Amino acid sequence: KKGLAPRGLGFLKGVCESVDIYVYAIGGISKENMSGCIAAGAKGVCMMSGFMKWNAWHIQKCVKYYNMRISYR
């Protein structure tokens, strides 16, 4: 959200360790930080703004690429 500072991977890790439900990282997700989110304990990531820059063909290619980079638990 505008005006709200990012919480970071440490915060995400703390949430993931504190609850017994799946946690998905959302907000500010990019190809550079998605692996770190998974390593912090997130079950998955939700990326929107990165996809909004492309058409459907590019989005399909990117989703396939990102899925190959993440190993789900």
Side-chain angles (χ1 to χ4, degrees):
K1 302 278 181 187
K2 278 189 175 182
L4 185 62
R7 302 296 172 114
L9 294 175
F11 179 82
L12 177 61
K13 183 176 182 177
V15 170
C16 293
E17 291 173 347
S18 300
V19 297
D20 293 326
I21 59 172
Y22 291 148
V23 175
Y24 290 83
I26 186 169
I29 306 303
S30 67
K31 66 180 181 180
E32 291 80 22
N33 65 13
M34 66 172 51
S35 296
C37 294
I38 300 301
K43 178 69 174 171
V45 298
C46 304
M47 187 166 75
M48 185 170 169
S49 58
F51 290 137
M52 299 304 282
K53 300 173 186 174
W54 302 306
N55 63 32
W57 182 86
H58 287 105
I59 292 171
Q60 287 177 332
K61 294 292 182 188
C62 288
V63 168
K64 287 179 183 178
Y65 170 78
Y66 293 145
N67 280 336
M68 290 187 317
R69 292 186 58 158
I70 297 175
S71 61
Y72 290 97
R73 293 175 277 142

